[in-house]
Amino acid sequence: MAYDCIIVEIEDEVALIRLNRPEALNALNKQLLEELAQALTEADQNDKVRCIVLTGSEKAFAAGADIKEMAEKSFVDVFVGDLFTAPTEAILRVRKPIIAAVSGYALGGGCELAMTCDFIIAAENAKFGQPEINLGVIAGIGGTQRLTRFVGKSKAMDMNLTGRFMDAAEAERSGLVSRVVPTAKLIPEAMAIAGKIAEKSQVAVRAAKEAVNRSYETTLREGLLYERRLFHSLFATEDQTEGMAAFLEKREPQFRDK
Ligand code: CAA
């Protein structure tokens, strides 16, 4: 499918999806979000894709929801239209891992979109923030909820109440991002990390993603039980036999996703 607001490339079993509205710093308008949801769903269904990288430009991952599009909307428009719900739900349904590779601004809905991915790699120039308070509103796609889980109440409250930005070093220190890399190396590093994930058994990869995500939704006891049951069930796979045999035979495993 042809897209106007995103660019999709598939390279060595990794789908690279670039947000592409440079004139608006990749602000998330309706069309971009619908195209993104469609592209992620297609990547999830494409057998040639084993991992997904979502990125923007060097200047901006995304500067938030499109303020020009939102400015004239009424309560009834956004409530009845359920603004942002459908694309966000579509992203959450993707079962393959999604890495957010963030360079430049990840603000408002941009920061929230990055947090909806499975983990975030930041370029040294990345800036994260929830500045919706400056527009007389608050975050609407997880900026008060996911950010609090990532960085704790104090920092999340600080960012949501003052609208200040967090740089890449602070984001790594606070647990918002998993790694920081030189800005010029962001895409090669993200693609290499995605490539490593693509080499693993996709059965185990899906189980790991599901289990980590479950920790956000349940108690520790239930989460541990869920993890243990998934762990037990992986002993029914050929990849478990192969992975453990390869270790013992001191060779690389040949996973077949079975
Ligand atoms: N929506 C629409 N257009 C945007 C935009 C946004 N969120 N962010 C930037 N743009 C546009 C600007 O209007 C400008 O377009 P024009 O040249 O046509 O005027 C273009 O992108 C370049 O932006 P700037 O000239 O402002 O660039 P800058 O380098 O001076 O500043 C910036 C960069 C600090 C990111 C600044 O653009 C900015 O503060 N943007 C808004 C950030 C924001 O408030 N995000 C939250 C949005 S609300 C939200 O996301 C709700 C939610 O939780 C779902």
Side-chain angles (χ1 to χ4, degrees):
M1 183 175 159
Y3 298 113
D4 291 328
C5 303
I6 61 172
I7 298 168
V8 183
E9 295 159 59
I10 298 176
E11 204 179 289
D12 297 334
E13 303 184 312
V14 178
L16 175 63
I17 303 178
R18 290 176 192 270
L19 307 180
N20 187 38
R21 291 190 70 214
E23 71 287 358
L25 301 183
N26 294 332
L28 308 172
N29 65 2
K30 186 169 184 288
Q31 186 182 355
L32 182 149
L33 285 170
E34 284 174 358
E35 290 185 5
L36 178 60
Q38 175 72 27
L40 285 167
T41 305
E42 280 176 13
D44 205 31
Q45 289 164 354
N46 184 343
D47 290 340
K48 295 193 183 92
V49 173
R50 296 164 74 85
C51 192
I52 302 164
V53 173
L54 177 62
T55 195
S57 67
E58 187 172 323
K59 182 165 183 195
F61 177 75
D66 191 310
I67 300 167
K68 285 175 196 152
E69 199 178 70
M70 281 188 306
E72 300 299 322
K73 289 195 188 296
S74 66
F75 164 73
V76 172
D77 293 335
V78 298
F79 182 67
V80 175
D82 216 1
L83 189 64
F84 301 129
T85 300
T88 317
E89 293 293 324
I91 296 170
L92 292 174
R93 277 196 297 274
V94 174
R95 297 190 67 206
K96 292 174 187 169
I98 311 174
I99 303 172
V102 173
S103 182
Y105 296 111
L107 304 178
C111 184
E112 295 167 298
L113 175 61
M115 291 190 290
T116 307
C117 298
D118 293 311
F119 63 100
I120 306 174
I121 300 169
E124 278 166 349
N125 74 342
K127 285 192 168 37
F128 299 87
Q130 299 294 159
E132 291 91 341
I133 198 85
N134 299 327
L135 302 170
V137 290
I138 68 167
I141 330 178
T144 67
Q145 302 302 300
R146 288 200 179 89
L147 187 65
T148 309
R149 311 268 181 116
F150 277 104
V151 305
K153 179 183 169 189
S154 194
K155 264 188 202 289
M157 199 65 99
D158 176 358
M159 291 178 70
N160 274 283
L161 292 182
T162 67
R164 80 167 174 92
F165 300 165
M166 191 187 257
D167 66 18
E170 185 182 3
E172 187 182 29
R173 241 182 6 253
S174 313
L176 177 58
V177 311
S178 71
R179 323 180 187 196
V180 179
V181 300
T183 302
K185 292 198 174 148
L186 177 67
I187 299 303
E189 292 276 351
M191 292 300 278
I193 294 165
K196 282 264 168 245
I197 295 170
E199 287 169 8
K200 317 288 184 206
S201 163
Q202 294 305 293
V203 189
V205 163
R206 282 178 199 212
K209 171 167 170 162
E210 260 184 40
V212 174
N213 280 335
R214 184 54 67 103
S215 75
Y216 278 96
E217 310 289 348
T218 192
T219 61
L220 179 60
R221 180 171 282 272
E222 285 302 315
L224 287 168
L225 181 62
Y226 189 77
E227 175 194 82
R228 196 162 316 126
R229 290 292 177 251
L230 280 178
F231 170 69
H232 291 160
S233 67
L234 290 171
F235 283 72
T237 65
E238 290 177 19
D239 285 344
Q240 173 266 337
T241 311
E242 166 61 10
M244 294 191 182
F247 176 82
L248 295 173
E249 292 160 18
K250 302 191 188 305
R251 61 174 174 82
E252 289 299 312
Q254 302 292 318
F255 292 124
R256 297 173 60 222
D257 305 334
K258 288 184 176 177

